[in-house]
Amino acid sequence: MKLLAFAASNSSQSINRQLVDYAIRLLTEGLVEGVPASEVEISTIDLNDFEMPIYSIDRQNADGIPQPAHDFYDTIGAADALLISFAEHNGSYTVAYKNVFDWASRINMRVYHDKPIVMLSTSPGGGGGGFVLRSAAHLAQYFGNEVLASLSIPRFGENFDTATGTLNDPDLDAQLRDALATFATVVAEESET
């Protein structure tokens, strides 16, 4: 299974990227039930590599769709599955992610290429980025996505040990592993082809 993993944030200190990195570690170390590390090839992207002018129809009509939008769209298309952790800004997507997504949707509305996805979110507060996660999961069906699982991690500073890069809450850690275990169906499908 070729898994594309990234944080929907452009922050160099992104806590959502730290969460993604931990999830990657669980997968690559074979710590997720039903998902053998030998069956998973993981690639990551950084939203900063897809920076573009703010989307507008006027820009699109004048200059076309920028190459970074094509690159983002094609990178998703090359994966078998997706792991995205959504940062929440004022209850919604980060501007960086929304802009890349908006440009890519002008190539094809099915930005996610009908790929299975596990969606995560975290934040410093008790909501754990739940607003953006619910919105992303709800809207995924319109943009070519099968949501296998979603999980919000509240109070990142309390529940994540930044020194070790691990979740220190056993219940949340178990929930994350369960969410990642849904990739087992994708691994099985890819093994058959």
Side-chain angles (χ1 to χ4, degrees):
M1 173 181 74
K2 294 179 185 174
L3 177 66
L4 176 64
F6 65 96
S9 168
N10 64 345
S11 169
S12 63
Q13 305 297 314
S14 172
I15 59 177
N16 281 277
R17 179 55 197 238
Q18 291 176 60
L19 181 58
V20 166
D21 288 344
Y22 177 56
I24 289 171
R25 197 165 87 204
L26 292 174
L27 290 163
T28 58
E29 293 179 3
L31 300 174
V32 176
E33 187 175 337
V35 186
S38 61
E39 298 291 322
V40 181
E41 176 186 323
I42 301 174
S43 59
T44 61
I45 57 173
D46 182 332
L47 283 190
N48 289 298
D49 295 333
F50 302 94
E51 197 165 305
M52 295 172 275
I54 294 173
Y55 177 78
S56 78
I57 191 66
D58 295 333
R59 279 198 174 107
Q60 182 182 345
N61 288 339
D63 303 319
I65 298 172
Q67 187 59 46
H70 289 280
D71 295 342
F72 179 78
Y73 180 81
D74 293 343
T75 300
I76 290 175
D80 297 318
L82 306 171
L83 171 64
I84 305 174
S85 191
F86 292 92
E88 183 177 280
H89 286 188
N90 298 317
S92 191
Y93 300 106
T94 64
V95 172
Y97 178 74
K98 184 72 165 73
N99 192 51
V100 172
F101 187 88
D102 286 347
W103 275 112
S105 73
R106 301 307 292 180
I107 299 166
N108 186 321
M109 281 293 290
R110 301 193 73 72
V111 174
Y112 295 126
H113 295 265
D114 299 309
K115 306 294 180 177
I117 185 172
V118 170
M119 293 182 167
L120 307 173
S121 68
T122 190
S123 74
F131 287 120
V132 70
L133 185 61
R134 284 188 294 277
S135 177
H138 171 73
L139 294 173
Q141 62 185 318
Y142 303 107
F143 299 107
N145 200 223
E146 174 195 353
V147 180
L148 298 175
S150 63
L151 176 65
S152 167
I153 304 292
R155 294 179 293 283
F156 184 80
E158 294 174 30
N159 293 315
F160 194 88
D161 183 338
T162 56
T164 61
T166 59
L167 277 170
N168 57 23
D169 180 291
D171 291 335
L172 289 172
D173 192 66
Q175 290 176 51
L176 177 60
R177 290 172 195 241
D178 287 347
L180 296 173
T182 62
F183 283 131
T185 58
V186 182
V187 170
E189 289 170 6
E190 291 305 312
S191 296
E192 294 173 3
T193 59

